[in-house]
Amino acid sequence: MIKVYIKDPSNNFVNKVRAGSLSIDRREEDISKASFELIYDKASIESTEIPKVGNEVVIYYDNDIIFGGYITSVETRFLTPQSLWIISVSCVDYNHILNRYYIETNLQFQGASVYDIVKDVLTIARLDRELISVYDPQEKKLRYDEKNNLVIEPIDLTGKAKNLKITSISFSYITVAEALKKIKELFPSLKFTIDYSRNLLIYDDKINISPVSNIYLDDPSKNTIDIYEISLTEE
Protein backbone atom coordinates (compact mmCIF):
# COMPACT_ATOMS: atom_id res chain seq x y z
CA MET A 1 0.00 0.00 0.00
CA ILE A 2 1.19 3.48 -0.84
CA LYS A 3 1.28 6.12 1.88
CA VAL A 4 2.11 9.76 1.28
CA TYR A 5 3.35 11.73 4.27
CA ILE A 6 3.57 15.49 3.90
CA LYS A 7 5.68 17.10 6.60
CA ASP A 8 4.86 20.53 7.93
CA PRO A 9 6.91 22.30 10.65
CA SER A 10 3.98 21.94 13.02
CA ASN A 11 2.55 18.63 11.86
CA ASN A 12 3.10 15.43 9.88
CA PHE A 13 0.02 14.24 8.09
CA VAL A 14 -1.04 11.47 5.74
CA ASN A 15 -3.11 12.58 2.77
CA LYS A 16 -5.81 10.84 0.77
CA VAL A 17 -4.38 10.00 -2.63
CA ARG A 18 -6.61 9.53 -5.64
CA ALA A 19 -6.28 5.97 -6.92
CA GLY A 20 -3.96 5.71 -9.90
CA SER A 21 -2.72 9.30 -9.66
CA LEU A 22 0.77 8.66 -8.29
CA SER A 23 3.60 8.96 -10.82
CA ILE A 24 7.33 8.75 -10.08
CA ASP A 25 9.86 9.72 -12.74
CA ARG A 26 13.08 8.11 -11.52
CA ARG A 27 16.28 9.65 -12.85
CA GLU A 28 19.47 8.03 -11.65
CA GLU A 29 21.96 10.54 -10.24
CA ASP A 30 19.68 13.40 -11.25
CA ILE A 31 16.62 15.08 -9.79
CA SER A 32 13.73 12.61 -9.78
CA LYS A 33 10.16 13.86 -9.79
CA ALA A 34 6.83 12.70 -8.41
CA SER A 35 3.26 13.85 -8.77
CA PHE A 36 -0.07 12.80 -7.29
CA GLU A 37 -3.57 14.08 -6.60
CA LEU A 38 -5.19 14.46 -3.19
CA ILE A 39 -8.93 14.46 -2.63
CA TYR A 40 -10.81 16.47 -0.03
CA ASP A 41 -14.51 16.76 0.69
CA LYS A 42 -16.00 19.86 2.30
CA ALA A 43 -15.53 18.65 5.86
CA SER A 44 -11.94 17.52 5.43
CA ILE A 45 -10.74 20.58 3.52
CA GLU A 46 -12.06 22.84 6.28
CA SER A 47 -10.28 20.87 9.00
CA THR A 48 -7.07 19.83 7.23
CA GLU A 49 -4.09 21.92 6.24
CA ILE A 50 -3.55 21.95 2.49
CA PRO A 51 0.00 21.08 1.32
CA LYS A 52 2.23 24.03 0.49
CA VAL A 53 5.19 24.57 -1.83
CA GLY A 54 8.32 23.71 0.15
CA ASN A 55 6.70 21.05 2.35
CA GLU A 56 8.72 17.84 2.61
CA VAL A 57 7.13 14.71 1.14
CA VAL A 58 7.96 11.07 1.91
CA ILE A 59 6.22 8.31 -0.05
CA TYR A 60 6.17 4.73 1.26
CA TYR A 61 5.38 1.45 -0.48
CA ASP A 62 4.48 -0.71 2.52
CA ASN A 63 7.50 -0.03 4.79
CA ASP A 64 9.94 1.03 2.07
CA ILE A 65 10.55 4.66 1.18
CA ILE A 66 10.27 4.99 -2.60
CA PHE A 67 10.47 8.78 -2.81
CA GLY A 68 11.52 11.68 -0.63
CA GLY A 69 11.75 15.36 -1.49
CA TYR A 70 9.94 18.67 -1.57
CA ILE A 71 6.75 20.07 -3.09
CA THR A 72 7.37 22.44 -6.00
CA SER A 73 3.80 23.21 -7.07
CA VAL A 74 0.24 22.86 -5.76
CA GLU A 75 -2.84 23.36 -7.93
CA THR A 76 -6.43 23.21 -6.68
CA ARG A 77 -9.63 22.62 -8.60
CA PHE A 78 -13.22 22.04 -7.48
CA LEU A 79 -15.52 19.35 -8.88
CA THR A 80 -19.04 20.75 -8.62
CA PRO A 81 -21.12 17.57 -9.05
CA GLN A 82 -19.20 15.68 -6.36
CA SER A 83 -18.45 18.69 -4.12
CA LEU A 84 -14.82 17.59 -3.97
CA TRP A 85 -11.53 19.46 -4.13
CA ILE A 86 -8.70 17.94 -6.16
CA ILE A 87 -5.22 19.04 -5.11
CA SER A 88 -2.54 18.31 -7.74
CA VAL A 89 0.92 18.12 -6.19
CA SER A 90 4.31 18.05 -7.96
CA CYS A 91 7.60 17.26 -6.17
CA VAL A 92 11.34 16.97 -6.71
CA ASP A 93 13.52 14.55 -4.75
CA TYR A 94 16.29 15.35 -2.25
CA ASN A 95 18.93 15.68 -4.99
CA HIS A 96 17.46 19.13 -5.55
CA ILE A 97 19.38 20.10 -2.40
CA LEU A 98 22.68 19.89 -4.27
CA ASN A 99 21.60 22.72 -6.59
CA ARG A 100 20.56 24.98 -3.73
CA TYR A 101 23.81 25.12 -1.75
CA TYR A 102 26.93 26.97 -2.86
CA ILE A 103 30.65 26.87 -2.13
CA GLU A 104 30.95 30.54 -1.26
CA THR A 105 34.72 30.61 -1.25
CA ASN A 106 37.71 29.41 -3.28
CA LEU A 107 38.55 25.81 -2.40
CA GLN A 108 41.76 24.18 -3.65
CA PHE A 109 42.85 20.59 -3.17
CA GLN A 110 46.11 18.88 -4.08
CA GLY A 111 46.69 15.15 -3.70
CA ALA A 112 43.48 14.69 -1.70
CA SER A 113 41.16 11.70 -1.92
CA VAL A 114 37.73 11.87 -3.53
CA TYR A 115 36.19 11.01 -0.17
CA ASP A 116 37.92 13.83 1.71
CA ILE A 117 37.16 16.35 -1.03
CA VAL A 118 33.46 15.48 -1.02
CA LYS A 119 33.36 15.60 2.77
CA ASP A 120 34.94 19.07 2.81
CA VAL A 121 32.62 20.33 0.06
CA LEU A 122 29.53 19.18 2.00
CA THR A 123 30.85 20.67 5.23
CA ILE A 124 31.90 24.05 3.82
CA ALA A 125 28.67 24.43 1.84
CA ARG A 126 26.82 23.85 5.14
CA LEU A 127 24.72 20.95 3.96
CA ASP A 128 24.35 19.96 7.60
CA ARG A 129 21.12 21.96 7.32
CA GLU A 130 19.77 19.28 5.00
CA LEU A 131 21.80 16.06 5.26
CA ILE A 132 21.83 13.87 8.34
CA SER A 133 25.20 12.07 8.20
CA VAL A 134 26.78 14.24 10.85
CA TYR A 135 26.62 11.96 13.87
CA ASP A 136 29.65 10.11 15.23
CA PRO A 137 28.34 6.76 16.57
CA GLN A 138 31.52 6.13 18.58
CA GLU A 139 31.70 9.51 20.27
CA LYS A 140 27.88 9.68 20.37
CA LYS A 141 27.86 13.33 19.42
CA LEU A 142 27.91 15.59 16.40
CA ARG A 143 31.27 16.21 14.72
CA TYR A 144 32.64 19.73 14.26
CA ASP A 145 35.69 20.95 12.36
CA GLU A 146 38.20 23.56 13.53
CA LYS A 147 35.92 26.33 12.23
CA ASN A 148 32.98 24.98 14.23
CA ASN A 149 31.21 23.66 11.14
CA LEU A 150 29.35 20.39 11.44
CA VAL A 151 31.33 17.70 9.62
CA ILE A 152 29.23 15.70 7.16
CA GLU A 153 30.44 12.25 6.19
CA PRO A 154 29.36 10.91 2.79
CA ILE A 155 28.72 7.17 2.64
CA ASP A 156 31.18 5.38 0.37
CA LEU A 157 29.63 2.31 -1.26
CA THR A 158 32.60 1.81 -3.59
CA GLY A 159 35.02 0.93 -0.81
CA LYS A 160 37.77 2.82 -2.64
CA ALA A 161 36.83 6.52 -2.66
CA LYS A 162 39.37 7.15 0.10
CA ASN A 163 42.10 5.73 -2.15
CA LEU A 164 41.17 7.65 -5.32
CA LYS A 165 43.50 10.65 -5.34
CA ILE A 166 43.04 13.85 -7.32
CA THR A 167 46.26 15.64 -8.21
CA SER A 168 44.70 19.08 -8.26
CA ILE A 169 41.17 20.47 -8.29
CA SER A 170 39.51 23.72 -7.22
CA PHE A 171 36.00 25.02 -6.68
CA SER A 172 35.03 28.66 -6.58
CA TYR A 173 31.50 30.00 -6.06
CA ILE A 174 29.68 27.08 -7.63
CA THR A 175 26.89 24.80 -6.43
CA VAL A 176 27.60 21.49 -4.73
CA ALA A 177 26.08 19.75 -7.77
CA GLU A 178 28.58 21.52 -10.03
CA ALA A 179 31.47 20.58 -7.75
CA LEU A 180 30.48 16.91 -7.81
CA LYS A 181 30.21 17.09 -11.59
CA LYS A 182 33.84 18.27 -11.80
CA ILE A 183 34.92 15.24 -9.76
CA LYS A 184 32.92 12.94 -12.06
CA GLU A 185 34.76 14.32 -15.07
CA LEU A 186 37.93 12.81 -13.60
CA PHE A 187 36.27 9.52 -12.57
CA PRO A 188 33.33 8.98 -14.97
CA SER A 189 32.09 5.79 -13.31
CA LEU A 190 31.64 7.51 -9.95
CA LYS A 191 28.08 8.47 -9.04
CA PHE A 192 26.71 10.74 -6.33
CA THR A 193 23.15 10.73 -5.06
CA ILE A 194 21.15 11.61 -1.97
CA ASP A 195 19.14 8.66 -0.72
CA TYR A 196 15.73 8.85 0.90
CA SER A 197 17.28 9.02 4.37
CA ARG A 198 19.10 12.18 3.23
CA ASN A 199 22.59 10.69 3.15
CA LEU A 200 24.94 11.54 0.29
CA LEU A 201 26.13 8.28 -1.28
CA ILE A 202 29.22 7.72 -3.41
CA TYR A 203 28.98 4.67 -5.66
CA ASP A 204 30.48 3.24 -8.82
CA ASP A 205 28.15 2.10 -11.58
CA LYS A 206 30.67 -0.56 -12.62
CA ILE A 207 30.50 -2.35 -9.27
CA ASN A 208 27.36 -1.05 -7.53
CA ILE A 209 23.73 -1.13 -8.54
CA SER A 210 21.79 2.07 -7.98
CA PRO A 211 21.41 2.34 -4.19
CA VAL A 212 18.08 4.17 -4.40
CA SER A 213 14.91 2.09 -4.30
CA ASN A 214 13.39 1.64 -7.74
CA ILE A 215 10.00 0.03 -7.17
CA TYR A 216 7.66 0.27 -10.14
CA LEU A 217 3.99 0.70 -9.40
CA ASP A 218 2.20 -1.47 -11.96
CA ASP A 219 -1.03 -1.85 -10.02
CA PRO A 220 -2.84 1.52 -9.75
CA SER A 221 -5.38 0.05 -7.34
CA LYS A 222 -2.64 -0.25 -4.73
CA ASN A 223 -1.27 3.27 -4.85
CA THR A 224 -3.72 4.83 -2.48
CA ILE A 225 -4.38 5.08 1.21
CA ASP A 226 -8.09 5.59 0.75
CA ILE A 227 -9.39 4.47 -2.64
CA TYR A 228 -11.31 7.25 -4.35
CA GLU A 229 -12.69 6.32 -7.75
CA ILE A 230 -14.54 9.35 -9.08
CA SER A 231 -15.59 10.86 -12.35
CA LEU A 232 -13.49 13.88 -13.24
CA THR A 233 -16.29 15.48 -15.25
CA GLU A 234 -16.38 19.11 -14.23
CA GLU A 235 -19.28 21.52 -14.61
Side-chain angles (χ1 to χ4, degrees):
M1 178 179 288
I2 293 294
K3 296 181 182 179
V4 176
Y5 288 85
I6 298 178
K7 299 184 178 182
D8 180 84
S10 61
N11 190 25
N12 291 347
F13 46 98
V14 180
N15 278 269
K16 297 179 179 179
V17 179
R18 177 176 160 249
S21 70
L22 176 63
S23 173
I24 298 178
D25 179 11
R26 189 89 61 201
R27 301 183 182 185
E28 186 176 357
E29 206 195 11
D30 197 358
I31 297 174
S32 297
K33 298 180 180 180
S35 62
F36 50 87
E37 292 181 341
L38 308 175
I39 296 181
Y40 295 87
D41 57 21
K42 186 176 186 298
S44 61
I45 202 168
E46 290 177 349
S47 61
T48 305
E49 181 145 9
I50 299 301
K52 301 182 183 70
V53 171
N55 283 156
E56 185 177 356
V57 174
V58 180
I59 302 175
Y60 288 83
Y61 183 90
D62 293 333
N63 294 320
D64 296 321
I65 298 177
I66 59 171
F67 186 87
Y70 301 95
I71 294 176
T72 54
S73 70
V74 178
E75 297 181 359
T76 304
R77 69 186 190 275
F78 181 66
L79 303 187
T80 303
Q82 300 89 350
S83 296
L84 293 173
W85 277 264
I86 305 296
I87 313 295
S88 299
V89 179
S90 298
C91 316
V92 292
D93 77 352
Y94 292 129
N95 281 288
H96 177 62
I97 294 170
L98 301 177
N99 291 308
R100 287 171 32 204
Y101 282 78
Y102 285 79
I103 302 168
E104 297 179 346
T105 184
N106 184 22
L107 284 181
Q108 296 186 5
F109 299 92
Q110 292 184 339
S113 71
V114 167
Y115 185 90
D116 288 338
I117 292 171
V118 172
K119 181 179 73 173
D120 286 353
V121 165
L122 299 179
T123 299
I124 291 170
R126 293 303 307 274
L127 260 80
D128 58 87
R129 300 166 187 168
E130 301 278 4
L131 303 183
I132 64 171
S133 296
V134 296
Y135 187 74
D136 187 329
Q138 293 183 341
E139 296 292 332
K140 296 184 178 180
K141 63 182 181 181
L142 297 177
R143 295 187 293 268
Y144 292 86
D145 65 12
E146 65 278 2
K147 295 182 179 179
N148 206 36
N149 292 319
L150 277 170
V151 175
I152 306 173
E153 294 280 3
I155 296 176
D156 177 26
L157 301 181
T158 72
K160 62 179 184 179
K162 292 183 179 179
N163 298 321
L164 292 175
K165 302 291 184 179
I166 295 180
T167 304
S168 178
I169 195 169
S170 63
F171 312 110
S172 181
Y173 299 93
I174 59 176
T175 66
V176 173
E178 291 169 329
L180 297 179
K181 184 178 179 180
K182 289 186 69 173
I183 297 174
K184 278 185 55 184
E185 290 172 354
L186 300 174
F187 300 100
S189 66
L190 281 187
K191 306 291 183 181
F192 303 94
T193 194
I194 298 178
D195 68 10
Y196 297 138
S197 297
R198 287 194 288 178
N199 299 295
L200 188 127
L201 309 179
I202 305 173
Y203 66 105
D204 188 324
D205 65 0
K206 291 183 177 179
I207 59 175
N208 304 116
I209 61 171
S210 175
V212 178
S213 174
N214 196 20
I215 298 174
Y216 293 94
L217 308 176
D218 56 1
D219 185 353
S221 67
K222 294 179 180 178
N223 70 4
T224 181
I225 319 163
D226 296 289
I227 296 179
Y228 281 84
E229 295 292 358
I230 63 172
S231 167
L232 293 183
T233 303
E234 301 183 40
E235 295 183 355

